[in-house]
Amino acid sequence: MNERILIFDTTLRDGEQSPGASLNVFEKLEIARQLAALKVDVIEAGFPVSSPAQFEAVQRIANESEVIIAGLARAKEVDIKSAFEALRNAKSPRIHTFSSTSDIHILGKFGDSKYGITLEEKRKTVLKMSYDSVAYAKTFVKDVEFSAEDAGRTDIGYLADIIETAIEAGATTVNIPDTTGYNFPSEFGNKIAELKKRVKNIDKAIISVHCHNDLGLAVANSISAIQNGARQVECTINGIGERAGNASLEEIVMALKVRKDIVNYFTNVNYSEIYNTSKMVSGFTGIVVQPNKAIVGENAFAHESGIHQDGMLKDRQTYEIMTPESVGVGKTKIVLGRHSGRHGLKIRLKELGYQITEEELQKAYDAFLELADKKKEVFDDDLRVLMGDEIYKEEELYELEYMHVNAGTKTVPTATVRIKTGENVIQESSTGDGPVDAVFNAIERALDIKPTVESYSVRSVTSGRQALGESIIRIRSGENSFTGRGTSTDIIEASAKAYLQAINQFNVYCNTKVEINENGISIK
Ligand code: KIV
Ligand code: ZN
């Protein structure tokens, strides 16, 4: 057997749909470069029609990457056109279009009588929409993927019809998503086997699967699908994604590698880049990897009990089915400090997966020296935070120039902030329930706004008592929410930065418009 399994990474699309994740275009570009170093086969870079920022990110990744770049599109002409415009300069563009196919979705989403009155009529409309969308996408690119959304709960006869129709229209990959993570491994594997039997033209397309993790079965379902004929798996770094997430890339590829005796397939993935990629994604998205997470968690290779440690000293294989080095977890921890030079910093950043220009290096070095002044020892995790915070930061409308806080056990917390916006500086003071509340109130006064704060958190992202603190805040305006992240050795400052970043995101959203007309797309 020993057939190749294609790895379709959707960290930048489904992964970015994780609650709280927000990546700017520079961070997405850097992750895409790292995914290329990891040697995935396809990078799904985003959903271009959904927002100007998504469109720009897909476009910029497509412009520079050698890897197949996919852009998501609903079965609508406007989406497909937008995806093509974003992918226009890609070396290998793929349009990924999808329709909902389960009865629950069809009845829930296509209630309007224009889709038909009865379920049978609506199903017919969806079949036609699926054909038309693939055929339309084919007028732009050769490589078209079709997904039957909620295939996991779709009637198998109807699913087979839909898949056959999509292939007839020209789909080169047909994706079977378990959108709600509802299936069991044997059930999902049988579905793939059944489709192979029922769909007449199935040999003309690659079968893909896309499993969500609502019951914690996404990886098991993906492997079962491979055993039954799937040759592409869609997955994300650290398993991030909608709700409970997607199948985790690192778990799938390592399961295939370690259990070759059972699943004799191979991927092109460069295993030694797994750890760096995991760290980069966690650092940029702010989504923490649980310590006991398989493959990339901090404890994945830690041995605590005496019996285990004793066994490990005698023979590593007693308690280790793969080595940490095999997934890129370094044995030695390199610590940089005040006296480390630019060159040393550059080499370490490269080892951690960051491909930076000389100009970015200068910025990184200045930020590094500032940090090294506050903290004696600068660890890899500090560098990762610094990269996310300083180097890939977008130019922002409002920047915190100065902050002063007065708080204690028997004082009313007060804060003064000075915010820079272009050539102007706005200064305001306020009191609050605590120092963070006082700072937030001062910012709101300075900018004359009062957003709804949906969530706010602070945690330490590096080790030791001089650790960097990270604050994440989500604000809401109508249907949209905006996330900001800030880091500092001072958690009040981190909170202020996070709040301003969320406000900046909101402003970018309000001031940007994508127009689609006969000449294509323009971002304003
Ligand atoms: O989960 C899902 O069904 C999806 C599709 C768009 C592929 O993400
Ligand atoms: Zn999904």
Side-chain angles (χ1 to χ4, degrees):
M1 223 175 339
N2 199 18
E3 284 177 55
R4 164 112 173 245
I5 302 300
L6 300 169
I7 299 296
F8 176 114
D9 180 278
T10 182
T11 305
L12 296 175
R13 199 276 298 168
D14 215 322
E16 215 223 355
Q17 291 172 219
S18 305
S22 104
L23 296 166
N24 69 36
V25 66
F26 304 110
E27 292 165 336
K28 287 185 185 177
L29 273 165
E30 192 57 34
I31 290 177
R33 290 180 196 130
Q34 179 58 23
L35 290 171
L38 184 66
K39 293 197 184 322
V40 303
D41 298 287
V42 185
I43 296 173
E44 185 162 52
F47 186 4
V49 84
S50 66
S51 75
Q54 287 271 337
F55 182 90
E56 188 191 352
V58 176
Q59 187 176 52
R60 292 186 62 168
I61 292 168
N63 288 356
E64 74 163 47
S65 187
E66 304 282 318
V67 181
I68 298 175
I69 303 298
L72 187 68
R74 287 166 301 184
K76 290 181 170 194
E77 289 200 356
V78 61
D79 284 36
I80 294 168
K81 182 108 192 339
S82 164
F84 172 65
E85 291 299 340
L87 295 169
R88 190 183 270 282
N89 297 323
K91 262 219 168 86
S92 310
R94 172 179 296 187
I95 295 179
H96 177 193
T97 183
F98 70 99
S99 303
S100 290
T101 57
S102 67
D103 292 348
I104 297 176
H105 273 225
I106 290 177
L107 292 172
K109 288 182 169 183
F110 305 124
D112 194 314
S113 60
K114 75 175 184 216
Y115 296 103
I117 306 292
T118 63
L119 173 64
E120 222 33 60
E121 284 167 1
K122 288 182 195 290
R123 276 186 171 188
K124 266 199 193 129
T125 310
V126 170
L127 197 75
K128 181 170 178 331
M129 270 164 56
S130 305
Y131 183 94
D132 291 347
S133 61
V134 173
Y136 185 58
K138 273 308 248 201
T139 64
F140 298 110
V141 295
K142 286 201 289 265
D143 187 352
V144 175
E145 171 167 334
F146 173 79
S147 285
E149 195 188 12
D150 203 19
R153 293 187 298 172
T154 300
D155 169 76
I156 189 72
Y158 181 58
L159 183 60
D161 289 346
I162 284 265
I163 296 300
E164 196 167 306
T165 301
I167 298 175
E168 236 170 64
T172 40
T173 300
V174 283
N175 186 34
I176 313 300
D178 185 18
T179 304
T180 54
Y182 178 71
N183 280 228
F184 258 46
S186 54
E187 182 189 17
F188 196 60
N190 288 342
K191 231 162 238 168
I192 304 301
E194 200 53 39
L195 287 173
K196 283 199 77 169
K197 271 196 232 141
R198 291 187 189 217
V199 177
K200 282 202 302 287
N201 49 8
I202 196 74
D203 55 324
K204 296 203 167 55
I206 289 171
I207 303 178
S208 169
V209 288
H210 173 114
C211 298
H212 278 270
N213 206 29
D214 300 65
L215 291 174
L217 295 170
V219 171
N221 286 343
S222 305
I223 304 260
S224 173
I226 290 173
Q227 290 175 301
N228 284 282
R231 291 295 172 265
Q232 175 180 283
V233 279
E234 303 196 355
C235 41
T236 59
I237 301 297
N238 301 335
I240 62 173
E242 278 281 3
R243 306 181 310 279
N246 288 65
S248 128
L249 181 149
E250 58 279 6
E251 292 177 24
I252 292 176
V253 299
M254 289 314 284
L256 294 180
K257 180 170 186 253
V258 172
R259 295 310 307 271
K260 253 196 177 352
D261 55 324
I262 295 184
V263 274
N264 189 13
Y265 306 94
F266 70 97
T267 67
N268 197 36
V269 163
N270 177 2
Y271 307 108
S272 62
E273 287 298 332
I274 287 177
Y275 189 66
N276 273 346
T277 318
S278 162
K279 281 286 190 180
M280 185 185 285
V281 168
S282 165
F284 285 166
T285 56
I287 299 177
V288 188
V289 174
Q290 74 196 60
N292 58 325
K293 162 91 174 59
I295 320 292
V296 291
E298 280 313 301
N299 297 346
F301 298 98
H303 301 271
E304 180 70 20
S305 83
I307 296 174
H308 285 213
Q309 288 175 357
D310 185 53
M312 282 292 290
L313 289 172
K314 289 177 176 144
D315 178 357
R316 288 178 74 157
Q317 288 184 67
T318 49
Y319 291 105
E320 214 169 64
I321 57 168
M322 65 197 129
T323 63
E325 297 79 39
S326 69
V327 295
V329 178
K331 261 201 208 136
T332 48
K333 279 207 161 52
I334 301 206
V335 183
L336 301 181
R338 180 97 197 89
H339 300 293
S340 306
R342 268 178 62 148
H343 189 62
L345 177 69
K346 183 178 179 180
I347 293 190
R348 192 63 199 140
L349 287 175
K350 194 154 178 245
E351 283 164 356
L352 296 179
Y354 300 95
Q355 300 168 32
I356 56 173
T357 60
E358 281 305 308
E359 196 188 321
E360 287 167 343
L361 175 64
Q362 190 53 52
K363 254 170 124 186
Y365 191 58
D366 292 344
F368 162 75
L369 287 180
E370 206 177 300
L371 183 63
D373 264 347
K374 292 186 194 155
K375 281 181 105 233
K376 266 209 314 283
E377 296 177 313
V378 178
F379 298 99
D380 288 349
D381 282 344
D382 293 311
L383 293 179
R384 290 184 170 107
V385 170
L386 178 146
M387 292 304 287
D389 224 28
E390 299 296 331
I391 308 312
Y392 301 115
K393 213 168 78 180
E394 281 171 306
E395 208 163 286
E396 294 187 327
L397 181 62
Y398 301 121
E399 245 180 87
L400 184 69
E401 194 181 72
Y402 165 90
M403 182 194 88
H404 177 80
V405 178
N406 197 3
T409 42
K410 294 240 162 61
T411 49
V412 175
T414 52
T416 302
V417 295
R418 202 181 296 144
I419 297 166
K420 198 167 164 252
T421 175
E423 297 298 306
N424 302 321
V425 170
I426 319 166
Q427 184 169 312
E428 267 300 346
S429 303
S430 182
T431 58
D433 286 346
V436 172
D437 189 42
V439 168
F440 286 5
N441 288 339
I443 290 175
E444 287 166 5
R445 265 199 181 172
L447 305 183
D448 194 20
I449 52 168
K450 186 104 185 131
T452 307
V453 175
E454 213 171 48
S455 67
Y456 162 70
S457 66
V458 183
R459 68 176 179 122
S460 107
V461 271
T462 57
S463 51
R465 56 191 281 179
Q466 294 164 324
L468 280 173
E470 177 188 65
S471 167
I472 298 183
I473 188 158
R474 195 155 70 225
I475 60 173
R476 175 160 289 282
S477 165
E479 293 215 322
N480 299 300
S481 62
F482 304 88
T483 305
R485 199 149 47 94
T487 52
S488 169
T489 46
D490 172 348
I491 54 169
I492 315 283
E493 187 187 341
S495 305
K497 283 180 170 174
Y499 197 27
L500 274 180
Q501 200 187 70
I503 293 168
N504 282 323
Q505 301 267 338
F506 170 66
N507 271 303
V508 171
Y509 175 83
C510 294
N511 295 321
T512 329
K513 282 199 172 46
V514 171
E515 273 183 8
I516 305 170
N517 52 38
E518 63 281 5
N519 303 319
I521 304 271
S522 63
I523 301 177
K524 294 188 171 154

